[in-house]
């Protein structure tokens, strides 16, 4: 099973992806985590990505597509995966479709977590990550609306996108997701 989890920053994509991956026995691939790990280790990628991330902007499509291509081609991803944080632009979505086609994978199912801005901001401020300052959050929400929200339309045109309401306990939301995947 190949899954994509979409939704604004702070919607709980990471939390839900970990649970879904455990329950379905598929691989969790978080581009945010891959990038943060690279920053911590000061790799070439990390050095390039750090400032972009701290300002709430997006790392370039070329870099991200390279990362995802390598990750989903890996043996450990063949059985299935849940992509968290990717695709974040239309170009990333189009490239992902091509890569999946070329690997012979069936098309991905898409989960879209919805939440209002006030709740997103409240959660991100509470999380206290380095890119969770008031100003950066505002920018990330704008970037989301301009560049990432269209990704949902991209998938709505070709397959089912399941909207999941993101308010409730972690388990409640997880049950909502598992229910639509049945
Ligand atoms: P959140 O879940 O709060 O949106 P992530 O952990 O997914 O945050 O991502 C953190 C940051 O990493 C983003 O703001 C962006 O700078 C960078 N990033 C992650 N995934 C991508 C991607 N697919 N394309 C471009 N930049 C990305």
């Amino acid at each position: 099973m190949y899954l994509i989890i979409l939704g604004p920053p702070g919607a709980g994509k990471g939390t839900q992806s970990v649970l879904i991956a455990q329950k379905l026995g598929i691989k969790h691939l978080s581009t945010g985590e891959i990038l943060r790990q690279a920053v911590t280790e000061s790799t070439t990628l990390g050095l390039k990505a750090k400032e972009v991330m701290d300002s709430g902007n997006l790392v370039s499509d070329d870099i991200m597509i390279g990362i995802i291509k390598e990750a989903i081609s890996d043996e450990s991803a063949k059985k299935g995966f849940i992509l968290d944080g990717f695709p974040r632009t239309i170009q990333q979505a189009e490239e992902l479709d091509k890569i999946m086609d070329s690997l012979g994978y069936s098309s991905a199912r898409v989960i879209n977590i919805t939440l209002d801005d006030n709740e997103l901001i409240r959660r991100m401020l509470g999380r206290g990550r380095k890119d969770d300052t008031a100003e950066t959050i505002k920018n990330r929400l704008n970037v989301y609306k301009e560049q990432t929200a269209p990704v949902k339309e991209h998938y709505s045109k070709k397959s089912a996108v399941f909207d999941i309401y993101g308010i409730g306990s972690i388990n409640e939301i997880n049950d909502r997701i598992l229910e639509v995947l049945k």
Side-chain angles (χ1 to χ4, degrees):
M1 169 155 358
Y2 306 108
L3 303 176
I4 295 171
I5 188 159
L6 299 177
K13 298 187 294 291
T15 307
Q16 292 300 329
S17 300
V18 169
L19 289 173
I20 300 282
Q22 273 170 3
K23 289 191 180 158
L24 301 181
I26 57 179
K27 182 133 179 143
H28 174 215
L29 290 171
S30 158
T31 45
E33 265 176 35
I34 292 171
L35 292 171
R36 279 188 289 278
Q37 180 77 18
V39 170
T40 305
E41 292 170 359
S42 298
T43 62
T44 316
L45 167 65
L47 296 174
K48 267 195 212 161
K50 186 176 182 314
E51 263 182 56
V52 181
M53 292 171 75
D54 286 350
S55 63
N57 292 316
L58 296 183
V59 175
S60 80
D61 284 342
D62 278 0
I63 292 180
M64 297 314 302
I65 290 160
I67 290 175
I68 247 14
K69 186 170 187 178
E70 187 182 320
I72 70 172
S73 310
D74 193 80
E75 194 56 42
S76 65
K78 290 232 155 72
K79 274 198 307 185
F81 52 74
I82 179 161
L83 287 185
D84 161 17
F86 190 98
R88 246 184 171 89
T89 65
I90 290 284
Q91 202 204 335
Q92 291 180 13
E94 287 171 349
E95 289 299 322
L96 175 65
D97 296 346
K98 283 188 212 158
I99 297 166
M100 290 190 58
D101 266 354
S102 73
L103 290 166
Y105 294 170
S106 56
S107 51
R109 294 210 247 172
V110 182
I111 296 153
N112 181 52
I113 303 191
T114 63
L115 217 65
D116 67 85
D117 281 6
N118 288 338
E119 176 65 12
L120 295 172
I121 294 167
R122 197 185 65 75
R123 287 188 189 182
M124 282 190 273
L125 286 174
R127 186 162 75 169
R129 218 166 64 189
K130 188 133 187 293
D131 57 345
D132 284 339
T133 63
E135 201 185 326
T136 308
I137 288 172
K138 219 164 121 197
N139 190 39
R140 282 161 64 206
L141 288 173
N142 282 332
V143 167
Y144 171 78
K145 279 173 193 149
E146 282 167 17
Q147 303 195 56
T148 308
V151 170
K152 186 195 162 187
E153 307 318 318
H154 170 87
Y155 286 109
S156 300
K157 280 182 213 149
K158 36 189 276 165
S159 56
V161 174
F162 301 104
D163 282 317
I164 301 290
Y165 183 51
I167 298 269
S169 72
I170 290 174
N171 282 332
E172 274 163 8
I173 297 163
N174 199 245
D175 287 343
R176 285 176 205 155
I177 297 174
L178 290 169
E179 186 60 35
V180 299
L181 292 177
K182 267 187 196 152

